[in-house]
């Protein structure tokens, strides 16, 4: 299983430095949360990790390759991205959107086969959209569209999953369903997950590690028990975050 | 209901044969199907055979090639620009061709010289838009689209200027060219060859086009090489449009509407949509041209008028029906 590693990464937009000198090794079997206030560069970091935009400085290695030297198709079999937003120019059916995830595995003239259709149906069952294959994307609610996009990532089945606000638009039941499923994939199949989250309680509960992006160049990476704590969180979001212990469970809340 | 490809392409094939059959048999000399077969197989010295093989066949083939090129270019352009309103002319390719052709008509040129100036103008327009849109390395679909639309307005102004200073005897020919006309079909094999090559060139891109319509970020993360795909799409679509404009002037409507017609019929997968666009665009233009030749015979109408008159009601009907279902 290939690992993703960043060395001395420096990110910025225009004249602003978003993150200065970040080095992290993302191992298989780890789930990372990226936390930070609006505009702190969470999505930029995720897209850079995906090899879709270049950092100002630093290296990103996927297994033994520099990620920017990998052919796009090969990269897409190792690493998948759930985008934050979905734009459908010519909206088709749920099935078409999910089967798109099989693209990196298909040759130029190959069509989807029985196996791909089965993978599509399994993924739809996992996101609780069973039987909606032929529904038009335009007829879906925001949360349902988000679950279709998650199903696309599930059939892409990359060893490393990058997710930009995966819980967007999802109701509590489906948020938990999704994060539990990701947890199972990470723990039992040795995959890696890196996700942008806004809810630090979900991060504390479902992730093993976290990166805190302060938005001014400072960043902090470590295990959840180290960095998802009152002090760093309060600094991160520039507001008082307090800790509450209830029935053996730790809950953080904005005071 | 999912599309059944075999049935769908059988119908399109039937439509193609029917349209070509009509184009070959209708005209000043009407032919029955058996006359037609005899004319094609039999002695080439009979009048019927000369009419069919020398006049009607080249024109029908040329019309099919132009319609196919425009519909295919439209389908590619709509994905490239991520805009359902895009048509092959939206980036000004036909505008450039128009200005150069009208200048050539004004200078009294004819025949191959007209074709060459049209093609030259189309290429110039293509290079200008591409060069302007990709300066500083940043060419989003929106920038490409705006550059193209503004250039089209510029070409339009130049066209208007040439029309307003042209002598009256040249105006009729100019207007026909501007509305699209297949009267000069002296080189039918050229269009068909280009159509065949560009279709073969676009088919390997078809699945990537499906993915691209879910957004560039999604496509890039699924392993589509966006930069390369964009350039290929731009080159293919522009060359097809340049060829179509060279062969028949600016025939409106086909390129915009045929891909949408097919999508409304449930044909959204580009692996089916691209070849289907060729068949349907080609047939539509052949039928339109047959009507353009025969409706007010002996005088002829520009084919662009007929293609729009046939296409508009069909399209509106399908759009209405589809909205009810959604």
């Amino acid at each position: 299983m290939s690992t993703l590693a960043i060395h001395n990464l420096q990110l910025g937009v225009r004249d602003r430095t978003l993150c200065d000198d970040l080095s992290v090794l993302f191992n298989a079997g780890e789930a990372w949360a990226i936390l930070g206030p609006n505009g702190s560069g969470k999505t930029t970091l995720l897209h850079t990790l995906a090899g879709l935009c270049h950092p100002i400085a630093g290296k990103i290695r996927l297994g033994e390759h520099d990620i920017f030297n990998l052919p796009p198709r090969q990269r897409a079999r190792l690493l998948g991205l759930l985008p934050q937003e979905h734009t459908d120019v010519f909206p088709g059916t749920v099935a078409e959107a999910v089967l798109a995830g099989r693209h990196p595995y298909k040759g130029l003239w190959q069509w989807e086969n029985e196996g791909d259709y089965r993978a599509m149906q399994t993924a739809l069952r996992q996101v609780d959209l069973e039987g909606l294959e032929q529904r038009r994307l335009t007829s879906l609610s925001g949360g349902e569209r988000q679950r279709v996009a998650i199903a696309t990532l599930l059939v892409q089945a990359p060893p490393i999953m990058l997710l930009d606000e995966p819980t967007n638009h999802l109701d509590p039941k489906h948020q938990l369903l999704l994060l539990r499923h990701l947890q199972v994939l990470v723990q039992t199949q040795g995959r890696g997950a890196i996700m942008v989250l806004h809810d630090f309680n979900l991060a504390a509960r479902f992730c093993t590690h976290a990166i805190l992006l302060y938005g001014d160049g400072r960043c902090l990476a470590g295990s959840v028990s180290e960095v998802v704590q009152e002090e760093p969180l309060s600094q991160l979001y520039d507001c008082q975050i307090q800790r509450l212990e209830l029935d053996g469970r730790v809950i953080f809340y904005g005071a | 209901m999912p599309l059944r490809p075999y049935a769908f392409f059988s119908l399109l094939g039937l439509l193609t044969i029917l349209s070509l059959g009509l184009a070959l048999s209708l005209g000043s000399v009407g032919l029955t199907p058996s006359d037609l077969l005899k004319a094609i197989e039999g002695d080439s010295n009979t009048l019927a055979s000369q009419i069919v093989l020398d006049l009607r066949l080249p024109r029908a083939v040329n019309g099919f090639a132009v319609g196919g090129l425009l519909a295919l270019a439209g389908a590619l352009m709509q994905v490239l620009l991520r805009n359902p309103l895009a048509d092959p002319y939206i980036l000004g390719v036909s505008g450039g061709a128009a200005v150069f052709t009208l200048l050539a008509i004004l200078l009294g040129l004819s025949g191959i010289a007209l074709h060459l100036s049209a093609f030259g103008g189309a290429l110039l327009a293509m290079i200008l838009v591409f060069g302007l849109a990709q300066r500083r390395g940043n060419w989003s679909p929106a920038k490409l689209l705006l550059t193209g639309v503004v250039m089209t307005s510029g070409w339009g102004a130049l066209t208007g200027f040439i029309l307003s200073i042209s002598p009256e005897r040249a105006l009729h020919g100019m207007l026909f060219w501007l509305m699209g006309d297949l009267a000069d079909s002296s080189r039918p094999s050229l269009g068909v060859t280009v159509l065949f090559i560009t279709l073969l060139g676009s088919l390997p891109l078809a699945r990537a086009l499906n993915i691209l319509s879910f957004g560039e970020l999604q496509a890039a993360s699924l392993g589509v090489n966006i930069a390369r795909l964009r350039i290929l799409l731009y080159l293919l679509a522009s060359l097809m449009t340049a060829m179509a404009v060279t062969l028949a002037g600016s025939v409106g409507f086909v390129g915009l509407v045929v891909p949408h017609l097919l999508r409304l019929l449930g044909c959204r997968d580009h692996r089916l949509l691209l070849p289907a666009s060729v068949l349907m665009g080609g047939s539509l233009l052949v039928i339109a041209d047959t009507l353009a030749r025969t409706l007010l015979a002996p005088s002829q109408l520009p084919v662009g008028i007929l293609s729009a008159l046939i296409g508009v009601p069909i399209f509106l009907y399908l759009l209405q029906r589809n909205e009810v279902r959604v």
Side-chain angles (χ1 to χ4, degrees):
Chain A
M1 198 71 42
S2 49
T3 53
L4 188 65
I6 53 180
H7 303 288
N8 308 110
L9 196 73
Q10 193 188 351
L11 294 180
V13 278
R14 286 176 293 278
D15 53 345
R16 208 156 70 87
T17 305
L18 292 171
C19 119
D20 204 8
D21 200 25
L22 179 66
S23 297
V24 180
L25 177 64
F26 302 95
N27 282 306
E30 292 175 355
W32 286 74
I34 301 176
L35 300 172
N38 296 143
S40 57
K42 302 184 291 294
T43 296
T44 308
L45 174 59
L46 205 68
H47 289 179
T48 311
L49 290 176
L52 300 179
C53 59
H54 286 266
I56 295 175
K59 284 243 169 302
I60 303 160
R61 299 191 70 82
L62 182 56
E64 59 267 38
H65 305 278
D66 184 314
I67 198 161
F68 296 106
N69 291 339
L70 270 179
R73 260 167 66 81
Q74 198 186 334
R75 190 194 62 215
R77 283 180 238 158
L78 297 173
L79 178 149
L81 171 75
L82 174 79
Q84 192 181 127
E85 270 164 12
H86 317 291
T87 45
D88 307 314
V89 191
F90 301 109
T93 60
V94 168
E96 289 162 2
V98 177
L99 283 172
R102 300 303 296 164
H103 181 70
Y105 300 96
K106 299 275 133 189
L108 217 48
W109 302 103
Q110 262 182 317
W111 286 63
E112 292 80 11
N113 57 27
E114 273 307 308
D116 299 319
Y117 284 98
R118 271 199 303 276
M120 182 252 295
Q121 279 158 353
T122 309
L124 284 177
R125 200 164 51 240
Q126 285 162 343
V127 297
D128 199 18
L129 287 177
E130 200 173 10
L132 292 194
E133 287 91 339
Q134 294 311 322
R135 275 276 292 278
R136 297 294 294 266
L137 293 175
T138 39
S139 71
L140 300 179
S141 73
E144 286 168 331
R145 179 68 186 87
Q146 174 76 355
R147 277 143 61 194
V148 169
I150 293 161
T152 307
L153 183 70
L154 291 178
V155 302
Q156 188 184 353
I160 296 166
M161 300 173 287
L162 308 174
L163 306 101
D164 201 347
E165 301 193 24
T167 53
N168 247 359
H169 306 295
L170 297 187
D171 56 42
K173 171 189 160 187
H174 289 104
Q175 290 190 8
L176 293 175
L177 200 69
L178 166 69
L179 291 169
R180 276 198 202 110
H181 186 62
L182 290 177
Q183 205 174 27
V184 169
L185 291 180
V186 167
Q187 286 173 356
T188 65
Q189 301 185 5
R191 299 214 227 165
I194 304 168
M195 59 192 100
V196 170
L197 288 174
H198 274 298
D199 185 332
F200 35 75
N201 282 309
L202 290 179
R205 186 166 158 198
F206 290 101
C207 294
T208 57
H209 297 73
I211 296 175
L212 273 50
L213 287 180
Y214 291 85
D216 54 3
R218 284 180 299 148
C219 39
L220 184 67
S223 73
V224 159
S225 56
E226 286 162 25
V227 298
V228 182
Q229 291 299 346
E230 287 163 290
E231 189 55 30
L233 287 179
S234 300
Q235 262 191 42
L236 182 71
Y237 293 109
D238 192 23
C239 73
Q240 196 56 45
I241 308 283
Q242 287 180 352
R243 182 175 194 263
L244 188 72
E245 226 166 296
L246 204 67
D247 297 337
R249 208 169 245 177
V250 176
I251 293 163
F252 297 96
Y253 65 99
Chain B
M1 189 184 70
L3 188 81
R4 275 171 304 188
Y6 293 111
F8 190 68
F9 274 92
S10 306
L11 280 178
L12 281 177
L14 211 61
L15 178 72
T16 307
I17 293 168
L18 193 73
S19 70
L20 289 173
L22 279 178
L24 295 186
S25 34
L26 293 183
S28 54
V29 178
L31 299 174
T32 63
S34 66
D35 289 343
L36 187 60
L37 280 180
K38 256 185 263 166
I40 293 173
E41 291 172 351
D43 189 354
S44 60
N45 289 328
T46 63
L47 178 67
S49 161
Q50 277 177 4
I51 290 176
V52 168
L53 294 181
D54 295 346
L55 296 174
R56 291 183 191 167
L57 186 63
R59 184 160 174 159
V61 167
N62 204 29
F64 187 85
V66 169
L69 283 168
L70 288 174
L72 185 55
L76 298 184
M77 210 64 114
Q78 284 164 4
V79 184
L80 171 69
L81 297 171
R82 309 179 46 66
N83 192 322
L85 288 178
D87 80 354
Y89 304 142
I90 204 158
L91 295 184
V93 170
S94 75
V99 168
F100 277 70
T101 308
L102 297 200
L103 277 177
I105 296 177
L106 195 59
L107 292 173
L109 302 178
S110 62
I112 184 112
L114 279 187
H115 284 170
L116 283 178
S117 20
F119 196 67
L123 282 186
L124 177 74
M126 192 178 140
I127 293 165
L128 267 179
V129 168
F130 186 74
L132 286 171
Q134 69 131 29
R135 274 188 66 198
R136 296 157 185 274
N138 161 33
W139 66 305
S140 63
K143 189 174 170 194
L144 187 63
L145 183 63
L146 277 177
T147 311
V149 167
V150 169
M151 289 293 294
T152 306
S153 314
W155 293 119
L158 284 177
T159 306
F161 174 72
I162 298 173
L163 283 175
S164 57
I165 59 160
S166 292
E168 220 154 285
R169 63 191 154 71
L171 280 180
H172 189 257
M174 290 180 171
L175 283 179
F176 262 62
W177 192 94
L178 286 176
M179 286 186 277
D181 186 28
L182 286 163
D184 179 7
S185 291
S186 46
R187 273 166 289 275
S189 55
L190 181 62
V192 177
T193 311
V194 172
L195 176 62
F196 189 70
I197 293 171
T198 46
L199 178 63
L200 278 187
S202 7
L203 280 178
L205 310 177
R207 204 178 61 235
L209 294 181
N210 290 345
I211 313 289
L212 190 58
S213 51
F214 293 111
E216 289 193 0
L217 188 60
Q218 175 84 78
S221 74
L222 285 171
V224 175
N225 188 336
I226 302 282
R228 196 180 65 187
L229 181 61
R230 272 192 192 157
I231 290 185
L232 277 173
L233 284 178
Y234 182 79
L235 284 178
L236 278 169
S238 303
L239 280 175
M240 280 182 244
T241 311
M243 184 42 62
V245 165
T246 303
L247 292 174
S250 1
V251 181
F253 197 76
V254 176
L256 170 68
V257 156
V258 166
H260 285 303
L261 264 175
L262 290 164
R263 285 191 193 100
L264 286 174
L265 290 169
C267 182
R268 280 181 307 273
D269 188 331
H270 285 84
R271 291 170 289 187
L272 304 174
L273 179 68
L274 299 184
S277 293
V278 167
L279 291 179
M280 185 177 261
S283 310
L284 179 65
L285 204 63
V286 169
I287 293 172
D289 185 55
T290 306
L291 291 174
R293 285 192 292 120
T294 53
L295 272 186
L296 292 183
S299 67
Q300 302 196 351
L301 296 168
V303 64
I305 295 180
L306 269 301
S307 60
L309 284 181
I310 300 169
V312 169
I314 300 178
F315 183 78
L316 289 177
Y317 166 74
L318 280 175
L319 189 64
Q320 299 292 327
R321 200 193 63 165
N322 212 273
E323 257 174 0
V324 175
R325 257 200 343 212
V326 165

